Amino acid sequence: MQKSWKILMSLFMVMLLSMSVTFAQSSYYEVQEKTLDSEFVEGKYPVVNADNILVKSRINRQITKIINDFNQNVQQENDIGRDLTGFIGYEIKANSDKIFSVIINCSTMYKGAAHPNTYAYGLSFDEQGNLIQFSQVINIDKQSGKNIYTIDNLNKEIKAQVGQHLFDFHKDVTAFPQEFYLDENMDLHVLFQRYEITPYAVGLVDVILKKALSQQMVNF
């Protein structure tokens, strides 16, 4: 049983690392991979290089905070006797002079569990390296008069994009999920975690809402 569990962990780690490499194709910013190999957590995360030291510092500070907090939480779980292993990975979703977006995947697995639990953090940064808040995105949509980013439109897009995968007992959502990112076209992607609206096997649900923003409009 212990040998099978270790094999499962190794396969899952390979999957995360492969995903990271696949999406690490950089364009505007140079992105390097940094390896975390602590006592209970392993994986890779991105480090952004930029000519502007403030931009670089702002982006990397937000990413490393997620990584450090996750590593600390897994350490604390093990300190109280819980046999927990952590994994990190990432996917770069936008890399231009206007927007840098990344998903940070933090996964935990208790020994003997059937599969890991993964939480995906969505981060988007403007051209000054500032973390974009969801309220800013919504306000720009309202100011434009388009009102695309509404709960009604979100529910329509959920059914159109992932309707065949929804739980049988699914009901319309009443609020936007916490995690999101903007792609290079400035389209909004909202992220539903595993089990949130679909079975675990579906994975992370990425619902795109087009299009309230444009690169000319964005002035965060």
Side-chain angles (χ1 to χ4, degrees), residues 112-130:
H115 53 69
N117 291 318
T118 302
Y119 189 88
Y121 294 88
L123 303 174
S124 289
F125 302 90
D126 65 17
E127 57 192 354
Q128 299 300 319
N130 297 310

PDB file of all heavy atoms in Angstrom, residues 112-130:
ATOM      1  N   GLY A 112      -2.787   7.778   1.960  1.00  0.00           N
ATOM      2  CA  GLY A 112      -3.903   6.855   1.840  1.00  0.00           C
ATOM      3  C   GLY A 112      -5.115   7.431   1.146  1.00  0.00           C
ATOM      4  O   GLY A 112      -6.085   6.709   0.884  1.00  0.00           O
ATOM      5  N   ALA A 113      -5.095   8.734   0.828  1.00  0.00           N
ATOM      6  CA  ALA A 113      -6.236   9.354   0.163  1.00  0.00           C
ATOM      7  C   ALA A 113      -6.322   8.898  -1.291  1.00  0.00           C
ATOM      8  O   ALA A 113      -5.327   8.491  -1.895  1.00  0.00           O
ATOM      9  CB  ALA A 113      -6.124  10.874   0.230  1.00  0.00           C
ATOM     10  N   ALA A 114      -7.520   8.980  -1.854  1.00  0.00           N
ATOM     11  CA  ALA A 114      -7.734   8.526  -3.225  1.00  0.00           C
ATOM     12  C   ALA A 114      -7.129   9.478  -4.245  1.00  0.00           C
ATOM     13  O   ALA A 114      -6.690   9.069  -5.321  1.00  0.00           O
ATOM     14  CB  ALA A 114      -9.230   8.358  -3.489  1.00  0.00           C
ATOM     15  N   HIS A 115      -7.123  10.755  -3.930  1.00  0.00           N
ATOM     16  CA  HIS A 115      -6.580  11.747  -4.844  1.00  0.00           C
ATOM     17  C   HIS A 115      -6.262  13.018  -4.067  1.00  0.00           C
ATOM     18  O   HIS A 115      -6.762  13.224  -2.959  1.00  0.00           O
ATOM     19  CB  HIS A 115      -7.561  12.054  -5.983  1.00  0.00           C
ATOM     20  CG  HIS A 115      -8.935  12.441  -5.521  1.00  0.00           C
ATOM     21  ND1 HIS A 115      -9.199  13.629  -4.875  1.00  0.00           N
ATOM     22  CD2 HIS A 115     -10.121  11.781  -5.599  1.00  0.00           C
ATOM     23  CE1 HIS A 115     -10.480  13.697  -4.585  1.00  0.00           C
ATOM     24  NE2 HIS A 115     -11.070  12.594  -5.001  1.00  0.00           N
ATOM     25  N   PRO A 116      -5.449  13.902  -4.640  1.00  0.00           N
ATOM     26  CA  PRO A 116      -5.104  15.143  -3.938  1.00  0.00           C
ATOM     27  C   PRO A 116      -6.240  16.148  -3.990  1.00  0.00           C
ATOM     28  O   PRO A 116      -7.145  16.063  -4.824  1.00  0.00           O
ATOM     29  CB  PRO A 116      -3.886  15.652  -4.707  1.00  0.00           C
ATOM     30  CG  PRO A 116      -4.068  15.089  -6.075  1.00  0.00           C
ATOM     31  CD  PRO A 116      -4.713  13.742  -5.901  1.00  0.00           C
ATOM     32  N   ASN A 117      -6.191  17.092  -3.089  1.00  0.00           N
ATOM     33  CA  ASN A 117      -7.067  18.268  -3.136  1.00  0.00           C
ATOM     34  C   ASN A 117      -6.240  19.440  -3.659  1.00  0.00           C
ATOM     35  O   ASN A 117      -5.164  19.717  -3.146  1.00  0.00           O
ATOM     36  CB  ASN A 117      -7.616  18.594  -1.748  1.00  0.00           C
ATOM     37  CG  ASN A 117      -8.595  17.551  -1.252  1.00  0.00           C
ATOM     38  OD1 ASN A 117      -9.425  17.074  -2.004  1.00  0.00           O
ATOM     39  ND2 ASN A 117      -8.493  17.196   0.020  1.00  0.00           N
ATOM     40  N   THR A 118      -6.763  20.106  -4.662  1.00  0.00           N
ATOM     41  CA  THR A 118      -6.012  21.193  -5.302  1.00  0.00           C
ATOM     42  C   THR A 118      -6.803  22.482  -5.258  1.00  0.00           C
ATOM     43  O   THR A 118      -7.999  22.486  -5.571  1.00  0.00           O
ATOM     44  CB  THR A 118      -5.684  20.852  -6.763  1.00  0.00           C
ATOM     45  OG1 THR A 118      -4.927  19.640  -6.810  1.00  0.00           O
ATOM     46  CG2 THR A 118      -4.888  21.978  -7.419  1.00  0.00           C
ATOM     47  N   TYR A 119      -6.132  23.553  -4.874  1.00  0.00           N
ATOM     48  CA  TYR A 119      -6.723  24.883  -4.943  1.00  0.00           C
ATOM     49  C   TYR A 119      -5.916  25.700  -5.945  1.00  0.00           C
ATOM     50  O   TYR A 119      -4.688  25.744  -5.877  1.00  0.00           O
ATOM     51  CB  TYR A 119      -6.722  25.580  -3.584  1.00  0.00           C
ATOM     52  CG  TYR A 119      -7.516  26.870  -3.577  1.00  0.00           C
ATOM     53  CD1 TYR A 119      -8.876  26.867  -3.306  1.00  0.00           C
ATOM     54  CD2 TYR A 119      -6.909  28.088  -3.890  1.00  0.00           C
ATOM     55  CE1 TYR A 119      -9.622  28.038  -3.327  1.00  0.00           C
ATOM     56  CE2 TYR A 119      -7.639  29.269  -3.909  1.00  0.00           C
ATOM     57  CZ  TYR A 119      -9.002  29.230  -3.632  1.00  0.00           C
ATOM     58  OH  TYR A 119      -9.734  30.394  -3.673  1.00  0.00           O
ATOM     59  N   ALA A 120      -6.615  26.347  -6.873  1.00  0.00           N
ATOM     60  CA  ALA A 120      -5.966  27.156  -7.903  1.00  0.00           C
ATOM     61  C   ALA A 120      -6.150  28.637  -7.597  1.00  0.00           C
ATOM     62  O   ALA A 120      -7.277  29.109  -7.433  1.00  0.00           O
ATOM     63  CB  ALA A 120      -6.548  26.828  -9.273  1.00  0.00           C
ATOM     64  N   TYR A 121      -5.037  29.337  -7.509  1.00  0.00           N
ATOM     65  CA  TYR A 121      -5.056  30.788  -7.305  1.00  0.00           C
ATOM     66  C   TYR A 121      -4.880  31.478  -8.655  1.00  0.00           C
ATOM     67  O   TYR A 121      -3.945  31.173  -9.397  1.00  0.00           O
ATOM     68  CB  TYR A 121      -3.916  31.226  -6.389  1.00  0.00           C
ATOM     69  CG  TYR A 121      -4.021  30.735  -4.971  1.00  0.00           C
ATOM     70  CD1 TYR A 121      -3.488  29.498  -4.606  1.00  0.00           C
ATOM     71  CD2 TYR A 121      -4.626  31.505  -3.984  1.00  0.00           C
ATOM     72  CE1 TYR A 121      -3.570  29.042  -3.288  1.00  0.00           C
ATOM     73  CE2 TYR A 121      -4.712  31.061  -2.677  1.00  0.00           C
ATOM     74  CZ  TYR A 121      -4.183  29.823  -2.338  1.00  0.00           C
ATOM     75  OH  TYR A 121      -4.256  29.375  -1.037  1.00  0.00           O
ATOM     76  N   GLY A 122      -5.761  32.422  -8.967  1.00  0.00           N
ATOM     77  CA  GLY A 122      -5.614  33.213 -10.176  1.00  0.00           C
ATOM     78  C   GLY A 122      -5.042  34.584  -9.856  1.00  0.00           C
ATOM     79  O   GLY A 122      -5.555  35.287  -8.985  1.00  0.00           O
ATOM     80  N   LEU A 123      -3.974  34.957 -10.549  1.00  0.00           N
ATOM     81  CA  LEU A 123      -3.318  36.249 -10.328  1.00  0.00           C
ATOM     82  C   LEU A 123      -3.151  36.960 -11.659  1.00  0.00           C
ATOM     83  O   LEU A 123      -2.664  36.371 -12.629  1.00  0.00           O
ATOM     84  CB  LEU A 123      -1.939  36.061  -9.686  1.00  0.00           C
ATOM     85  CG  LEU A 123      -1.857  35.311  -8.356  1.00  0.00           C
ATOM     86  CD1 LEU A 123      -0.401  35.098  -7.975  1.00  0.00           C
ATOM     87  CD2 LEU A 123      -2.591  36.068  -7.270  1.00  0.00           C
ATOM     88  N   SER A 124      -3.544  38.224 -11.703  1.00  0.00           N
ATOM     89  CA  SER A 124      -3.308  39.061 -12.879  1.00  0.00           C
ATOM     90  C   SER A 124      -2.683  40.377 -12.438  1.00  0.00           C
ATOM     91  O   SER A 124      -3.126  40.983 -11.456  1.00  0.00           O
ATOM     92  CB  SER A 124      -4.619  39.334 -13.631  1.00  0.00           C
ATOM     93  OG  SER A 124      -5.082  38.171 -14.272  1.00  0.00           O
ATOM     94  N   PHE A 125      -1.687  40.813 -13.194  1.00  0.00           N
ATOM     95  CA  PHE A 125      -0.944  42.023 -12.855  1.00  0.00           C
ATOM     96  C   PHE A 125      -0.987  42.992 -14.022  1.00  0.00           C
ATOM     97  O   PHE A 125      -0.863  42.589 -15.194  1.00  0.00           O
ATOM     98  CB  PHE A 125       0.511  41.677 -12.535  1.00  0.00           C
ATOM     99  CG  PHE A 125       0.670  40.690 -11.417  1.00  0.00           C
ATOM    100  CD1 PHE A 125       0.697  39.324 -11.679  1.00  0.00           C
ATOM    101  CD2 PHE A 125       0.784  41.116 -10.104  1.00  0.00           C
ATOM    102  CE1 PHE A 125       0.846  38.406 -10.644  1.00  0.00           C
ATOM    103  CE2 PHE A 125       0.926  40.211  -9.061  1.00  0.00           C
ATOM    104  CZ  PHE A 125       0.956  38.851  -9.330  1.00  0.00           C
ATOM    105  N   ASP A 126      -1.135  44.284 -13.707  1.00  0.00           N
ATOM    106  CA  ASP A 126      -1.138  45.289 -14.762  1.00  0.00           C
ATOM    107  C   ASP A 126       0.291  45.625 -15.172  1.00  0.00           C
ATOM    108  O   ASP A 126       1.259  45.030 -14.688  1.00  0.00           O
ATOM    109  CB  ASP A 126      -1.928  46.529 -14.333  1.00  0.00           C
ATOM    110  CG  ASP A 126      -1.292  47.278 -13.164  1.00  0.00           C
ATOM    111  OD1 ASP A 126      -0.094  47.066 -12.870  1.00  0.00           O
ATOM    112  OD2 ASP A 126      -1.989  48.093 -12.522  1.00  0.00           O
ATOM    113  N   GLU A 127       0.449  46.605 -16.074  1.00  0.00           N
ATOM    114  CA  GLU A 127       1.770  46.906 -16.621  1.00  0.00           C
ATOM    115  C   GLU A 127       2.719  47.518 -15.593  1.00  0.00           C
ATOM    116  O   GLU A 127       3.930  47.565 -15.822  1.00  0.00           O
ATOM    117  CB  GLU A 127       1.629  47.835 -17.824  1.00  0.00           C
ATOM    118  CG  GLU A 127       0.903  49.128 -17.523  1.00  0.00           C
ATOM    119  CD  GLU A 127       0.535  49.894 -18.779  1.00  0.00           C
ATOM    120  OE1 GLU A 127       0.949  49.471 -19.860  1.00  0.00           O
ATOM    121  OE2 GLU A 127      -0.154  50.917 -18.667  1.00  0.00           O
ATOM    122  N   GLN A 128       2.180  47.941 -14.439  1.00  0.00           N
ATOM    123  CA  GLN A 128       3.022  48.433 -13.358  1.00  0.00           C
ATOM    124  C   GLN A 128       3.335  47.354 -12.325  1.00  0.00           C
ATOM    125  O   GLN A 128       3.987  47.625 -11.316  1.00  0.00           O
ATOM    126  CB  GLN A 128       2.335  49.618 -12.667  1.00  0.00           C
ATOM    127  CG  GLN A 128       2.069  50.810 -13.580  1.00  0.00           C
ATOM    128  CD  GLN A 128       3.349  51.369 -14.177  1.00  0.00           C
ATOM    129  OE1 GLN A 128       4.363  51.484 -13.497  1.00  0.00           O
ATOM    130  NE2 GLN A 128       3.300  51.697 -15.467  1.00  0.00           N
ATOM    131  N   GLY A 129       2.847  46.139 -12.583  1.00  0.00           N
ATOM    132  CA  GLY A 129       3.093  45.032 -11.660  1.00  0.00           C
ATOM    133  C   GLY A 129       2.127  44.981 -10.497  1.00  0.00           C
ATOM    134  O   GLY A 129       2.331  44.208  -9.566  1.00  0.00           O
ATOM    135  N   ASN A 130       1.073  45.789 -10.543  1.00  0.00           N
ATOM    136  CA  ASN A 130       0.086  45.786  -9.458  1.00  0.00           C
ATOM    137  C   ASN A 130      -0.903  44.639  -9.638  1.00  0.00           C
ATOM    138  O   ASN A 130      -1.370  44.384 -10.755  1.00  0.00           O
ATOM    139  CB  ASN A 130      -0.680  47.115  -9.439  1.00  0.00           C
ATOM    140  CG  ASN A 130       0.226  48.295  -9.159  1.00  0.00           C
ATOM    141  OD1 ASN A 130       1.003  48.288  -8.209  1.00  0.00           O
ATOM    142  ND2 ASN A 130       0.143  49.319 -10.009  1.00  0.00           N
TER     143      ASN A 130
END
